[in-house]
Amino acid sequence: LASPSAALASPSAALELTRLPRTLAAETLQLAAASPDAGLIARWLGFLVGAGSLLLYTPIAARVYRQRSADGLTLSTWWLKLLSYTCSDAYSFRNGYPLSTYIETLIITVEACGVLLLVAHFQRRLDAAFAGLALSYLAAATWALSAAPPEAIALGQSAATALNTCALLPQIAQNAARRSPGGFSPVTAGLACAG
C-alpha cells in the first residue's frame, strides 16, 4: 500500500491506500451476514458511538451560546474541521458504507458546522467573505457527494487527517500568543487526545 504522503501526491496512490478500509468493511459485512446477531450488535454499537460523539464539540457550542462569546476560538480552525469531516463523510457515503459505520463522523460534522456558525456569529464575521466560503463549501460538498470521481473521493479521505490536524494550528498559535488555553473545553481536549 502507498504511504500517506505518496497518497497526497497521487490520486491513484490515494485510491490504493483507501482499499484497506473497503476490504475491512466487506469482511465486516460478511461477518454480519454469517451471524445476524453479530451484525445487529455491531450496528447498535456504531449508533452508540455516534451518540457518544455528541460529547466532542457540544460542550464548546453550549459554552459559546451560553456566554454569548466566541473569544478564544479561531474561525479558521472550524472551517478546516468542517472540511475534514465532510471529506470523511463523502468517502463513506460514496462507498455505500452502512450509516452505523460513520454516524459518529456525520454527527461531528454537524457539530463542527454548528460551532463554526456560532463562532462566526459571536465574532461578528457573518459577512460576504463568510458567505462566499459557505457557498464554495456547499458546492464542493455537493460535488463530492454526487459527481466526484473515485480518485477525488479517495484523495479527500486521505487528506482528511491532515486537514483535521492542521485545523488545530491556528488555535494553538492563538493560544500561545495569548498564553491562554483558548476556548476548548477540557472534555473536548480529553476526547481529542483519546482519539
Side-chain angles (χ1 to χ4, degrees):
L1 291 176
S3 70
S5 59
L8 291 175
S10 162
S12 61
L15 185 60
E16 179 184 337
L17 181 66
T18 58
R19 289 190 181 152
L20 181 60
R22 188 175 302 159
T23 302
L24 292 176
E27 290 173 4
T28 302
L29 291 174
Q30 288 172 351
L31 174 65
S35 173
D37 290 339
L40 183 64
I41 290 169
R43 189 175 317 112
W44 281 104
L45 283 175
F47 287 120
L48 183 63
V49 168
S53 69
L54 287 169
L55 297 173
L56 188 59
Y57 297 136
T58 300
I60 292 174
R63 181 188 51 76
V64 168
Y65 183 76
R66 186 179 60 251
Q67 294 178 353
R68 302 268 193 242
S69 172
D71 289 342
L73 295 174
T74 60
L75 193 62
S76 57
T77 289
W78 296 101
W79 273 117
L80 290 169
K81 285 191 168 293
L82 178 62
L83 184 58
S84 167
Y85 296 128
T86 302
C87 287
S88 291
D89 293 336
Y91 177 82
S92 297
F93 176 79
R94 289 288 300 275
N95 281 292
Y97 295 150
L99 182 61
S100 62
T101 63
Y102 66 99
I103 187 72
E104 77 283 353
T105 308
L106 197 57
I107 289 171
I108 292 170
T109 304
V110 172
E111 285 181 303
C113 183
V115 173
L116 171 66
L117 291 170
L118 286 169
V119 170
H121 172 73
F122 288 114
Q123 290 182 356
R124 301 192 191 299
R125 295 184 60 194
L126 288 173
D127 53 15
F130 186 92
L133 282 172
L135 289 173
S136 297
Y137 163 78
L138 289 173
T142 300
W143 177 72
L145 291 170
S146 61
E151 295 83 7
I153 297 299
L155 182 61
Q157 173 65 8
S158 297
T161 300
L163 283 169
N164 201 18
T165 301
C166 291
L168 296 175
L169 296 178
Q171 187 67 53
I172 290 168
Q174 178 177 293
N175 293 356
R178 292 182 176 184
R179 296 181 180 218
S180 160
F184 275 77
S185 75
V187 170
T188 299
L191 288 172
C193 289

